[in-house]
Amino acid sequence: RSLNDLTVSNLWPHRILSFAEHDVLAKHYISLNVAKNSAHPTLILEDDARIESKHIKILADRLEYALYKSKTNLYFYEDYCNYSTYHDLKYQSTVKGSTVSFIESYPVSTRTLCSYLVSPEAAKQITKNFLPYALPADFHMQHILNRLINITGTLSFPGLFNNGSISGKFNSQIQQ
């Protein structure tokens, strides 16, 4: 067998997505459609995205940078993997003793759609490739990003946001 024999159905056993999973995918699709028609990058947050107060200033600085200076298409502000071990460090921000590293990623990789900043150009490409879907939102987005070769990404470590549902602060729609 070769890598060409690998398919989504081989790697991800068939199952019917729940209503909540369809709803999450629809909300990302709607948000990305809004983003593609925007003049500026759009910050998309899931219903359980939670930012710690120590990261607000860093986020504000990064949003301003993305708005006026960056050529990056996607920023993922997640807290699941230490990407610094296998990607190039782009820059660091330190505010009140809290340091966040921003790592350039190509191809763009993500483990969650908890929080991301998307340029109008990237949103156009993603929405054009969004339908049909067969996977939960996080996996579906990674599937799309693996196919889009001209999208650049930056990941933060530690993440500026975390999933409040995972940290036990509150439930997400998918858990209700």
Side-chain angles (χ1 to χ4, degrees):
R1 296 189 67 142
S2 72
L3 289 177
N4 294 333
D5 296 329
L6 293 177
T7 64
V8 171
S9 59
N10 292 27
L11 299 172
W12 186 263
H14 176 72
R15 70 176 178 84
I16 296 173
L17 296 177
S18 70
F19 176 79
E21 288 171 317
H22 283 286
D23 193 47
V24 168
L25 281 154
K27 287 176 180 172
H28 280 284
Y29 185 68
I30 291 166
S31 298
L32 287 162
N33 272 293
V34 169
K36 79 178 186 183
N37 295 314
S38 173
H40 302 290
T42 302
L43 181 62
I44 299 174
L45 304 172
E46 286 192 339
D47 66 341
D48 65 338
R50 181 178 169 274
I51 188 167
E52 293 186 36
S53 58
K54 66 182 180 181
H55 291 147
I56 292 173
K57 173 71 171 117
I58 294 173
L59 176 64
D61 291 345
R62 292 298 96 205
L63 291 176
E64 183 177 355
Y65 177 80
L67 199 56
Y68 299 111
K69 300 176 186 166
S70 178
K71 301 285 187 232
T72 298
N73 298 119
L74 275 167
Y75 287 87
F76 285 100
Y77 302 121
E78 59 190 37
D79 200 14
Y80 282 90
C81 300
N82 183 351
Y83 293 103
S84 62
T85 58
Y86 55 93
H87 293 295
D88 295 328
L89 178 66
K90 194 168 185 180
Y91 47 84
Q92 288 185 311
S93 292
T94 303
V95 175
K96 296 182 181 176
S98 180
T99 300
V100 176
S101 299
F102 293 88
I103 299 109
E104 199 161 75
S105 170
Y106 183 83
V108 182
S109 59
T110 182
R111 299 293 173 265
T112 177
L113 297 179
C114 172
S115 55
Y116 58 103
L117 183 73
V118 60
S119 71
E121 297 78 25
K124 285 175 191 161
Q125 291 181 54
I126 293 168
T127 55
K128 191 166 70 172
N129 290 278
F130 201 89
L131 300 172
Y133 61 82
L135 299 169
D138 302 333
F139 297 121
H140 183 62
M141 180 66 88
Q142 188 59 64
H143 175 70
I144 294 169
L145 295 175
N146 287 344
R147 293 184 1 219
L148 299 176
I149 58 171
N150 56 346
I151 290 187
T152 58
T154 300
L155 312 162
S156 65
F157 183 80
L160 299 180
F161 289 84
N162 62 45
N163 292 87
S165 58
I166 291 173
S167 64
K169 301 295 181 188
F170 45 82
N171 287 340
S172 74
Q173 171 193 354
I174 212 108
Q175 294 171 316
Q176 295 174 359

